[in-house]
Amino acid sequence: MIEWKGAVGMLAAQTVTPITKVVPEETHLEFLRRRLRETATGWAGRDLDDSELIADSTDGHFWELVGLRVSGHESLLLGALSFRRQTAGPGYSRQSLPSYLATDCPIGDRNSAGLSTLVRVELPTARESVSEFLGDLKGKQRRHRVLVDKELIQVMFDLRAQNPSTEKVIGRAKAVRGTVVLRTRDGHVVSGILLDLEAKLRRDPSFLAITMAVQHTVHGNVPLPTLFVQRRYISMLSSLEGRPLEEKLSCVPFQPKNANPLYLVVDV
């Protein structure tokens, strides 16, 4: 027969070593919030330091941090993509994200040949800081290979203040800017500027670029970075066509009171 009282007394008398959780110097979401605040304000016109986003690799490639939301993972992710440096541009010029994601085998993604619907993303562990993550990527072609289905990427965005691409825009000499309001499949309501909406709808691109983006919630408006939104993640979209934004936001599917109040990106 077990003497429970004695056993409990022995356990109570033992010294319990506390389990301490390793916490990164700067959590991933805190890093995102700070960076997005800086890119949104431009720090009064001062050039931002992109070095904290970059890790040099080999053969003219480099890793760059981006933000993304993926179906099946409820929170925002901070990851790194492998890009080939464009020699014509300054510093770390590379493909734009829509072009990168539209390419069957993204330039720079050397390990995804034959995987046209997938893109490789390097993701940090929960216990390492952003600087530790990038430091471990330097000089490497891969670390922890995570293949992500492009069709299930809901939103992706740069963390740079300026578009780093040197690509030439083929087509219209002058882009037509139009303000749109959209609703995501998760119920977020977002307004912003979309270039050449009609042309993009006819070409059926995988991702639409929304600049000057704002999320509308019952708690107020939240400024967002330039978003690259997966077309299939958009459930409804409407152009303002010269009408006031407030008028469009009074339409039932775009009313803030009917919108998802959770942040699409992060609170900044």
Side-chain angles (χ1 to χ4, degrees):
M1 183 175 177
I2 299 175
E3 294 291 337
W4 289 106
K5 289 183 178 179
V8 172
M10 290 176 61
L11 288 173
Q14 292 178 357
T15 302
V16 179
T17 302
I19 299 175
T20 58
K21 183 179 179 181
V22 178
V23 179
E25 295 175 3
E26 187 174 22
T27 68
H28 308 157
L29 289 183
E30 286 174 352
F31 178 91
L32 279 171
R33 288 189 183 98
R34 177 181 61 78
R35 187 70 196 186
L36 291 175
R37 282 196 299 268
E38 292 174 359
T39 55
T41 61
W43 281 94
R46 188 178 68 188
D47 290 336
L48 295 178
D49 181 13
D50 287 339
S51 64
E52 66 175 356
L53 308 175
I54 304 294
D56 272 306
S57 183
T58 57
D59 303 326
H61 291 76
F62 63 91
W63 298 99
E64 181 178 334
L65 292 175
V66 298
L68 68 158
R69 283 176 54 102
V70 181
S71 295
H73 193 278
E74 63 181 14
S75 64
L76 194 73
L77 290 169
L78 180 68
L81 298 177
S82 176
F83 292 98
R84 186 177 68 187
R85 186 183 288 105
Q86 293 177 333
T87 56
Y92 293 94
S93 298
R94 46 84 169 163
Q95 269 186 304
S96 66
L97 283 180
S99 173
Y100 184 92
L101 293 169
T103 307
D104 283 348
C105 180
I107 295 174
D109 200 345
R110 294 155 289 172
N111 298 304
S112 293
L115 303 175
S116 60
T117 64
L118 303 174
V119 64
R120 183 168 60 93
V121 183
E122 290 284 344
L123 298 173
T125 68
R127 294 190 172 191
E128 64 185 341
S129 68
V130 173
S131 59
E132 290 169 340
F133 170 55
L134 287 176
D136 195 46
L137 279 176
K138 285 185 177 179
K140 296 183 179 179
Q141 294 185 6
R142 69 170 70 180
R143 196 183 73 145
H144 302 300
R145 183 179 184 179
V146 179
L147 296 175
V148 179
D149 190 332
K150 296 177 188 177
E151 295 296 323
L152 296 182
I153 295 175
Q154 299 168 341
V155 172
M156 187 175 281
F157 56 90
D158 290 317
L159 294 173
R160 295 204 208 180
Q162 301 296 327
N163 187 339
S165 177
T166 60
E167 295 168 357
K168 301 295 183 183
V169 178
I170 302 174
R172 294 187 176 198
K174 186 177 181 180
V176 177
R177 296 175 178 269
T179 303
V180 299
V181 178
L182 64 87
R183 187 179 181 92
T184 72
R185 296 178 69 171
D186 289 324
H188 307 95
V189 172
V190 176
S191 67
I193 296 174
L194 183 63
L195 298 181
D196 296 330
L197 173 61
E198 295 299 326
K200 284 183 170 61
L201 292 179
R202 287 196 297 270
R203 287 199 299 265
D204 193 24
S206 297
F207 286 81
L208 298 180
I210 310 292
T211 62
M212 304 296 290
V214 176
Q215 181 180 351
H216 304 279
T217 77
V218 68
H219 304 298
N221 299 328
V222 182
L224 301 172
T226 294
L227 298 177
F228 305 102
V229 185
Q230 166 62 249
R231 189 181 179 124
R232 293 187 180 182
Y233 188 53
I234 299 173
S235 62
M236 288 179 258
L237 184 147
S238 181
S239 173
L240 263 63
E241 298 178 340
R243 296 179 179 177
L245 175 60
E246 290 74 16
E247 180 180 330
K248 190 64 67 173
L249 292 178
S250 67
C251 186
V252 173
F254 304 120
Q255 285 184 300
K257 71 176 183 179
N258 295 328
N260 188 334
L262 300 179
Y263 297 111
L264 177 62
V265 180
V266 290
D267 58 316
V268 296

